[in-house]
Amino acid sequence: MMKIAVTYDNGEVFQHFGHTEQFKIYEVEDGKILSSRVVDTNGSGHGALAGFLAALDVRALICGGIGGGARTALAAAGIQVFGGVQGNADRAAEQLAAGSLAFDPNAKCGHHEHHGEGHTCGSHGCGSHSCHQ
């Protein structure tokens, strides 16, 4: 069995990994979803989310935009990232389980680009920026 996490907001794929307040976790086997549940991140953000997902034994993440630091932390935790996904969370999880998910391997949060290396969103919240594929 494999666990897939989707950044989640009101049934849709949430578009900024580091600011997601909930994940929908799907248990998948033989290309089919067996069960799902919504979990709160309890205020965890950015880099801490990789550990949060690893503790839940998640092996794949579906999200919208995601920064380079988060990608690195997720890779170190053994979690494969499927970024640049929009729309219905359940449908995206079903497509990944079936091996047919369309995603953008280069999706990133565009606001990270103008800060340069070493930027942490915690210093100002990044609330006025948007994520781009």
Side-chain angles (χ1 to χ4, degrees):
M1 184 168 31
M2 180 175 93
K3 289 187 183 176
I4 298 170
V6 179
T7 53
Y8 189 76
D9 183 43
N10 199 31
E12 301 290 309
V13 177
F14 186 68
Q15 292 301 299
H16 187 157
F17 172 77
H19 287 259
T20 193
E21 294 180 8
Q22 294 182 317
F23 288 101
K24 192 161 185 181
I25 308 296
Y26 300 83
E27 292 187 351
V28 176
E29 191 169 55
D30 297 326
K32 297 194 186 305
I33 294 174
L34 303 178
S35 66
S36 65
R37 65 187 171 113
V38 176
V39 297
D40 290 325
T41 63
N42 299 317
S44 297
H46 289 90
L49 291 174
F52 178 85
L53 293 174
L56 294 172
D57 293 322
V58 167
R59 292 292 159 240
L61 167 72
I62 298 171
C63 63
I66 184 167
R71 281 185 176 276
T72 300
L74 289 161
I79 299 171
Q80 188 174 7
V81 176
F82 297 87
V85 178
Q86 297 181 358
N88 184 274
D90 290 344
R91 188 167 24 251
E94 289 167 2
Q95 290 172 342
L96 180 59
S100 63
L101 179 68
F103 69 99
D104 179 358
N106 299 310
K108 60 182 176 274
C109 283
H111 74 265
H112 288 274
E113 300 305 310
H114 73 261
H115 294 296
E117 292 297 316
H119 165 72
T120 61
C121 286
S123 63
H124 64 79
C126 284
S128 64
H129 303 296
S130 63
C131 296
H132 307 280
Q133 284 88 14

